Amino acid sequence: MNFKEKLRTNRMGKVGTRLGKILGVLFVIALIGLFSYRWFTDYIWMDSLGFESIYTTILSSKVILGAVGFILYFILTYFTLSWIRNTYTGHFDAHQLAPVLTNKKMSRLIIAGIAVLIGAFGSSIVQGVGWEPALKLLNYASFGETDPFFNLDISFYMFILPFVKFVINILLGIAIFFLLLEIGAYSVFNLYRMSRSAQIHLATTLGFIGLLLAGMHLLTPYESLLTNQVNIFQESVVHGISYTDKIINIPVSYALAAVAVIGSIWMIIALNRKKLSSMLLPVIVYVILVIGGQLASVVVQNFIVSPNEFSKEKPYLKHNLEYTRAAYDLDQIKEKEHPGNDSLDEKMIERNQKTIENVRINDSRPILDVYNQLQTFRTYYQFNNIDIDRYEIDGEYEQVFIGARELSTGDLPSQAKTWVNRKLRYTHGYGMAMSHVNQVTQQGQPKYMMKNLPPEGVLDISRPQIYFGEEKYENVIVNSKVDEFDYPSGDENVANRYEADLGIQLSGLNRLLFTLSEGSMRMLVSDQITSDSQLLETRNIMDRVNRIAPFFEYDEDPYIFVREDGTLAWMIDAYLTTDNYPYAENYEKNKNYIRNSVKVTIDAYSGEVNYYIVNPDDPLLQTYENMFPELFTKEIPEDVKKHFRYPEKLFSIQAAKYGTYHMTNLEVFYNREDFWQFPTEKYFNEDIEMEPYYITMKLPEYDEEEFILMMPYTPKKRQNMISWMGVRNDGENYGEIFVYRFPKQKNIYGPQQIENRINQDSTISQQLNLWSQGGSKVIRGNLLAIPIEDTVMYVEPIYIESSNETSLPEVKRVVIAYEDHIVMEETFDASLDKMLALINPESEQGSEDTTDPDDTEDQSSPITDADEKLREFSELFENYQTELSEGNWEEAGKIMKEIESRLNEVE
């Protein structure tokens, strides 16, 4: 090769080297961009909603912790592997080792590469798990209350202890990993016996592990306040520190901590002196102490505590009782006496007319089917849920059913599921439907207060479009060149343009970034998208709030409401929970503290999200407020506050705990002598546990009706009602929980007893059995206990549904039970009139019919021509089923009226 060729080759080599470096840099930049563009899109989305500070706070904490974790794992890994390499190179000759160990540069690069991988792994663990405990530690608020054993503020257990445990667990995990690595490396050629360097390395790691184990054991006494586990075999009757914990477990923990430290020192000395066999001694002592501590705990629990458990655990039971009541806010509950009198009459009904007018004779589950069949109008509309709320209608306080008519693009015809339709045209649902809870049509269907497209009725809806809701919505693009479908009107479709500005502007770099995020090049190249177009992202409201504030738990039952300006919004209850409240019994897994301190609203049109503070005194909320001050809104608009509902989930948890923790007498509490439980009811012909329900009623000591969430109680293994719990929902009284106790010496019928009596009533059961023949289905609605002044009555709707797939459940009868009387009539008013006639025969209602249905067997005359009548009934029912199956609702209704009239003749 001549000089020119060599020069050309060198130049080409340099060009190739430079090109390779440039391509390498571009590749690294592209790789970083590929992994980090999601950060930019997330930030842009959060910024569009005004929550960018929440995102940056979480991201910065993760970045800092990730960097700390990476550095920690990298340094420890590099140090450990380098020490192992140096031990090998210092003990063996170069020709005895592989070149990869003797080549210093290559070995360092390999060690650094391994350290980077382990550092990245450690970084993901530290930042993923540790960001929230770290932020809580730096921003926590004091509870102002101390535990009775260590005299430490509750905040220590909530915020300090979890972070310290996290740090120790991280360090102990990596230390044990390195110890196993060292044992494996130094076991080759028995280096741990022959190499001083190996011995020092192992001794250093053992000493570090010993200190960490000692730290874990020193934390154990504090953790014993958070559990009822006294050993691996047994649980104590006490949640928190018990007699066995104080006498055995806590002293053993301190002893184990001492043994861990002393044993580590012993092992280090033994290793340095090459007395390897003596290294097992502290391990043996440690294991013996662990096993001995468990056995001692079992012995004390079985032979000292169990024979005299109440006496031994009495002071600790007191702590368990008091702190559990505080953890679930049960110590604020007001208890009152309810006489359970037999006092219902016409005057009481008149005094409580609003309560009577709001008795719910419809049921949300059957009514959902009715809404979806009669108020969707198109296959691509969907009602996901029907909720209960209350409104001022023409100055009258009324309880209502309400549901949102959402868009379900999955139900579009297959030929219409194009990219343009899914992303640009079909972008939103439309309007809502509302019906009375206590009124039905002659066909037994809900009587609407708001219906149709566009919405018409008792409320003025200014923004009926629903861009954000409960459906699994795709991201859509608004303000494109394509008109958005608004709602069908005759043979034409009305169009709409999105007018809010909370979407993401698809101009400049945003369009490229979100094209990558969406994974669709159509978004980048489509000429239908302009610089004015906006991307509406994360439109499912549950996904939306979880993306903004993932540190809260959210109720699974959001509900829509109408604000005073006619706009629609969703309400979601946010729960603040933890598992570190001392002495408190758990309600779910390890969780033992819950508050509904935050209400979240999402504008159904714009997607605007507000986090309203409803319990500013909650220390856990104050901690989050210190962490994310720009997340919360303190001033709550009145039209939002009017629709606050105390959440059923929280109420159920509190009511379940109160069933046990209402017993303030320690001996009664220990024996669970007065345990209350939720009653059962018959629903859809199955016995299920009763759920809390909303009613409108006037409390005995107040003059106006209120929206109340309530739950009856029955004693354990009995079915009579012993008390009921309620919580107020309106105005300044929101969240006030109360309990009414019935006299123990008097029997008040419980829900299941009423259900059984309905089944046993000859007249009612005869009619229900007749209706259930021929393929029809009888649906027993929710049984509601309705307290009125000093008495209680029960109401249950009866639905009839044909076996036809397109059939609608219809309210055909309403059952009222009061004291020993049960009546069933076509309407609630008719049933109430008949009930008043039964309990007061001298009244006007009683002048026409004073017969108790339970006495009909003795008073009724025999039915003549029974076979012929049964045959007629059978023919009528066959005709009824035929008309139903063919969709002839009007004709079917006429036949059913004839059947009912003939049944009345038989009666």
Side-chain angles (χ1 to χ4, degrees):
M1 184 182 293
N2 57 34
F3 177 76
K4 289 184 178 179
E5 289 176 344
K6 288 183 178 178
L7 184 62
R8 190 181 301 114
T9 302
N10 289 337
R11 286 177 179 174
M12 291 177 65
K14 290 180 180 179
V15 170
T17 302
R18 289 174 182 172
L19 183 61
K21 289 180 178 179
I22 292 171
L23 290 175
V25 170
L26 291 175
F27 176 77
V28 171
I29 292 173
L31 198 62
I32 293 172
L34 187 64
F35 284 103
S36 62
Y37 85 91
R38 176 63 68 179
W39 296 346
F40 293 111
T41 56
D42 285 346
Y43 176 82
I44 293 170
W45 183 79
M46 292 284 280
D47 182 57
S48 70
L49 295 172
F51 294 124
E52 70 281 356
S53 64
I54 288 85
Y55 182 75
T56 55
T57 298
I58 295 175
L59 181 62
S60 60
S61 66
K62 287 184 174 181
V63 169
I64 293 171
L65 283 174
V68 170
F70 178 83
I71 293 170
L72 176 67
Y73 276 69
F74 177 87
I75 291 176
L76 291 177
T77 304
Y78 191 89
F79 176 79
T80 299
L81 295 179
S82 296
W83 194 327
I84 293 173
R85 176 192 171 275
N86 292 336
T87 300
Y88 270 80
T89 56
H91 187 76
F92 296 101
D93 292 333
H95 68 274
Q96 295 177 293
L97 299 173
V100 71
L101 290 175
T102 56
N103 188 323
K104 185 177 291 187
K105 184 176 181 181
M106 183 183 295
S107 62
R108 285 180 176 175
L109 284 174
I110 292 173
I111 290 172
I114 296 172
V116 166
L117 291 176
I118 294 179
F121 173 74
S123 173
S124 65
I125 293 176
V126 172
Q127 62 89 14
V129 178
W131 72 267
E132 189 171 355
L135 283 177
K136 285 181 176 178
L137 179 72
L138 295 173
N139 296 280
Y140 74 85
S142 173
F143 275 70
E145 183 179 0
T146 59
D147 77 273
F149 194 87
F150 294 107
N151 202 33
L152 294 171
D153 192 273
I154 304 298
S155 57
F156 169 82
Y157 301 93
M158 289 277 202
F159 310 117
I160 300 174
L161 184 61
F163 185 78
V164 175
K165 282 177 58 181
F166 163 74
V167 172
I168 290 178
N169 288 334
I170 287 290
L171 295 175
L172 185 61
I174 193 171
I176 292 174
F177 169 75
F178 287 144
L179 178 63
L180 295 175
L181 181 65
E182 292 163 21
I183 291 173
Y186 295 140
S187 294
V188 180
F189 306 115
N190 291 326
L191 276 179
Y192 64 90
R193 290 179 178 275
M194 298 181 290
S195 172
R196 182 72 173 171
S197 175
Q199 293 167 358
I200 294 173
H201 194 187
L202 286 167
T204 303
T205 306
L206 284 170
F208 189 58
I209 290 175
L211 291 174
L212 292 172
L213 280 175
M216 285 187 62
H217 289 304
L218 290 175
L219 294 180
T220 300
Y222 302 111
E223 293 182 279
S224 63
L225 272 73
L226 311 175
T227 180
N228 65 335
Q229 197 80 34
V230 291
N231 53 63
I232 60 174
F233 308 106
Q234 294 172 300
E235 293 180 347
S236 169
V237 70
V238 176
H239 286 264
I241 287 180
S242 64
Y243 180 86
T244 304
D245 288 323
K246 182 179 179 181
I247 300 300
I248 298 296
N249 294 338
I250 292 177
V252 167
S253 296
Y254 292 140
L256 285 170
V259 168
V261 174
I262 296 171
S264 298
I265 297 172
W266 179 285
M267 294 176 74
I268 292 170
I269 294 172
L271 193 61
N272 287 332
R273 293 181 178 180
K274 299 184 180 181
K275 296 180 179 180
L276 300 181
S277 59
S278 65
M279 290 178 62
L280 292 175
L281 182 60
V283 176
I284 293 171
V285 172
Y286 182 84
V287 172
I288 289 174
L289 189 55
V290 169
I291 296 174
Q294 291 292 305
L295 291 176
S297 174
V298 170
V299 169
V300 169
Q301 191 69 23
N302 284 337
F303 298 103
I304 297 178
V305 175
S306 293
N308 196 17
E309 192 171 46
F310 176 68
S311 176
K312 296 296 183 183
E313 302 287 22
K314 184 176 180 180
Y316 312 105
L317 280 168
K318 183 175 184 294
H319 301 152
N320 181 190
L321 177 63
E322 291 177 352
Y323 281 79
T324 299
R325 286 171 64 91
Y328 297 99
D329 217 15
L330 306 181
D331 49 358
Q332 305 299 317
I333 294 177
K334 300 176 181 177
E335 284 201 2
K336 305 171 185 179
E337 296 298 324
H338 194 293
N341 292 332
D342 180 7
S343 56
L344 186 69
D345 58 19
E346 292 87 347
K347 292 183 178 179
M348 181 181 289
I349 296 298
E350 291 174 3
R351 291 195 301 270
N352 296 273
Q353 193 61 38
K354 290 298 177 186
T355 299
I356 299 301
E357 290 176 356
N358 283 281
V359 170
R360 176 156 54 92
I361 61 169
N362 281 305
D363 196 280
S364 59
R365 280 169 277 191
I367 211 173
L368 178 61
D369 295 335
V370 178
Y371 272 46
N372 273 319
Q373 288 203 43
L374 299 184
Q375 281 296 308
T376 49
F377 305 112
R378 293 291 188 272
T379 58
Y380 42 77
Y381 284 132
Q382 179 77 24
F383 287 91
N384 285 288
N385 200 10
I386 302 299
D387 292 297
I388 298 174
D389 204 348
R390 70 285 196 201
Y391 286 80
E392 290 278 344
I393 307 296
D394 296 328
E396 298 292 332
Y397 188 84
E398 182 165 357
Q399 189 179 158
V400 300
F401 284 118
I402 185 171
R405 188 183 295 103
E406 299 190 59
L407 181 72
S408 176
T409 54
D411 294 325
L412 286 171
S414 56
Q415 65 272 19
K417 292 181 180 179
T418 63
W419 185 85
V420 170
N421 279 345
R422 290 188 296 105
K423 297 292 186 179
L424 308 182
R425 189 182 308 280
Y426 290 94
T427 58
H428 58 272
Y430 195 87
M432 35 73 73
M434 180 188 291
S435 60
H436 299 278
V437 299
N438 64 325
Q439 297 182 37
V440 293
T441 64
Q442 289 185 349
Q443 291 76 32
Q445 295 172 6
K447 190 171 183 180
Y448 292 104
M449 307 165 71
M450 295 291 300
K451 61 181 180 178
N452 297 342
L453 294 171
E456 55 187 36
V458 297
L459 299 175
D460 293 325
I461 309 298
S462 60
R463 288 284 194 189
Q465 293 83 7
I466 300 175
Y467 285 87
F468 300 85
E470 295 183 89
E471 278 285 328
K472 294 296 181 184
Y473 289 113
E474 295 184 59
N475 298 339
V476 296
I477 299 168
V478 295
N479 295 339
S480 67
K481 293 180 181 179
V482 177
D483 288 332
E484 298 173 41
F485 168 76
D486 207 26
Y487 64 92
S489 178
D491 296 331
E492 298 180 353
N493 291 330
V494 178
N496 175 68
R497 303 288 289 179
Y498 180 78
E499 297 179 0
D501 60 355
L502 291 181
I504 298 166
Q505 291 292 333
L506 292 178
S507 57
L509 184 61
N510 279 4
R511 188 165 178 177
L512 174 61
L513 287 173
F514 285 94
T515 294
L516 293 173
S517 178
E518 290 289 298
S520 172
M521 289 300 295
R522 293 287 299 270
M523 188 169 161
L524 184 65
V525 302
S526 174
D527 60 357
Q528 304 295 319
I529 301 173
T530 70
S531 58
D532 294 328
S533 298
Q534 299 179 47
L535 175 69
L536 302 185
E537 192 178 30
T538 315
R539 298 196 296 140
N540 176 272
I541 56 176
M542 298 304 297
D543 294 341
R544 196 170 182 84
V545 294
N546 273 296
R547 188 175 176 186
I548 295 169
F551 35 84
F552 293 146
E553 290 185 18
Y554 296 96
D555 195 277
E556 296 179 356
D557 184 27
Y559 57 97
I560 200 163
F561 67 99
V562 184
R563 292 182 285 210
E564 288 184 357
D565 61 358
T567 57
L568 303 176
W570 296 93
M571 185 89 72
I572 303 178
D573 292 291
Y575 300 116
L576 283 68
T577 65
T578 185
D579 54 4
N580 286 340
Y581 200 93
Y583 286 102
E585 182 181 343
N586 305 336
Y587 70 89
E588 178 183 288
K589 295 182 180 179
N590 294 324
K591 297 175 184 175
N592 62 2
Y593 178 92
I594 183 169
R595 292 289 188 275
N596 173 221
S597 300
V598 177
K599 302 278 189 181
V600 189
T601 62
I602 304 97
D603 191 291
Y605 180 83
S606 68
E608 179 183 6
V609 182
N610 286 288
Y611 285 77
Y612 293 111
I613 294 177
V614 295
N615 185 10
D617 298 328
D618 177 14
L620 189 52
L621 170 69
Q622 294 169 4
T623 300
Y624 280 113
E625 195 176 2
N626 293 337
M627 292 162 60
F628 310 108
E630 296 184 15
L631 175 64
F632 300 102
T633 302
K634 295 182 179 179
E635 295 296 325
I636 307 173
E638 282 300 318
D639 59 349
V640 172
K641 189 180 294 186
K642 283 181 179 179
H643 295 282
F644 279 178
R645 293 188 334 187
Y646 201 83
E648 292 181 48
K649 177 181 177 179
L650 175 59
F651 185 72
S652 294
I653 291 170
Q654 290 176 309
K657 289 300 174 194
Y658 197 74
T660 300
Y661 286 88
H662 71 91
M663 296 176 274
T664 54
N665 181 286
L666 287 181
E667 191 165 2
V668 174
F669 171 66
Y670 167 73
N671 292 315
R672 303 298 196 262
E673 295 176 16
D674 192 20
F675 178 75
W676 299 347
Q677 62 187 13
F678 295 166
T680 57
E681 64 168 332
K682 186 171 288 293
Y683 187 75
F684 273 73
N685 297 320
E686 292 184 6
D687 289 334
I688 63 170
E689 185 175 85
M690 206 167 190
E691 296 179 354
Y693 53 90
Y694 296 97
I695 63 171
T696 300
M697 62 172 291
K698 183 165 60 176
L699 294 173
E701 57 269 48
Y702 295 95
D703 297 328
E704 294 184 354
E705 279 73 16
E706 302 179 41
F707 197 52
I708 301 291
L709 178 63
M710 70 167 287
M711 168 62 82
Y713 283 113
T714 58
K716 186 176 183 180
K717 297 182 179 179
R718 292 169 58 195
Q719 294 181 342
N720 61 294
M721 185 159 61
I722 194 169
S723 62
W724 65 277
M725 175 185 281
V727 59
R728 305 172 75 181
N729 287 263
D730 294 338
E732 299 300 322
N733 300 315
Y734 174 83
E736 181 182 313
I737 306 177
F738 55 88
V739 170
Y740 279 96
R741 290 175 175 257
F742 294 110
K744 290 187 178 181
Q745 66 275 13
K746 184 177 183 179
N747 180 68
I748 306 295
Y749 286 117
Q752 190 61 56
Q753 289 177 321
I754 296 297
E755 297 282 22
N756 295 339
R757 293 185 61 231
I758 292 173
N759 292 337
Q760 295 164 6
D761 185 280
S762 57
T763 304
I764 295 176
S765 61
Q766 180 185 15
Q767 291 195 23
L768 297 183
N769 289 333
L770 187 59
W771 281 324
S772 63
Q773 294 175 4
S776 290
K777 185 164 56 175
V778 175
I779 301 173
R780 301 270 287 269
N782 282 130
L783 179 67
L784 305 181
I786 312 293
I788 305 177
E789 294 187 7
D790 62 348
T791 191
V792 179
M793 74 174 183
Y794 285 94
V795 178
E796 179 176 274
I798 304 295
Y799 287 82
I800 305 295
E801 184 177 22
S802 168
S803 57
N804 190 299
E805 291 185 1
T806 60
S807 65
L808 297 172
E810 299 175 349
V811 178
K812 287 302 181 184
R813 290 291 185 271
V814 177
V815 176
I816 293 181
Y818 180 74
E819 294 292 333
D820 295 326
H821 307 293
I822 295 180
V823 298
M824 184 176 76
E825 295 296 327
E826 292 186 11
T827 65
F828 172 76
D829 290 338
S831 291
L832 183 60
D833 289 343
K834 188 169 183 178
M835 178 60 71
L836 291 173
L838 288 173
I839 61 180
N840 186 9
E842 303 301 323
S843 66
E844 293 181 6
Q845 288 92 340
S847 60
E848 296 181 4
D849 183 10
T850 61
T851 303
D852 189 332
D854 290 338
D855 298 333
T856 54
E857 287 188 14
D858 297 329
Q859 298 177 10
S860 59
S861 58
I863 301 175
T864 58
D865 303 325
D867 292 339
E868 183 179 348
K869 290 184 181 295
L870 284 174
R871 189 162 47 252
E872 291 176 0
F873 279 127
S874 178
E875 291 176 359
L876 285 170
F877 257 95
E878 287 180 6
N879 295 337
Y880 172 72
Q881 294 297 325
T882 301
E883 298 298 337
L884 281 180
S885 63
E886 295 176 358
N888 299 327
W889 309 109
E890 186 175 351
E891 189 63 31
K894 291 179 181 178
I895 296 174
M896 178 55 70
K897 284 186 178 180
E898 184 177 351
I899 292 172
E900 291 168 357
S901 64
R902 294 200 179 190
L903 281 172
N904 291 332
E905 291 175 5
V906 172
E907 295 174 18

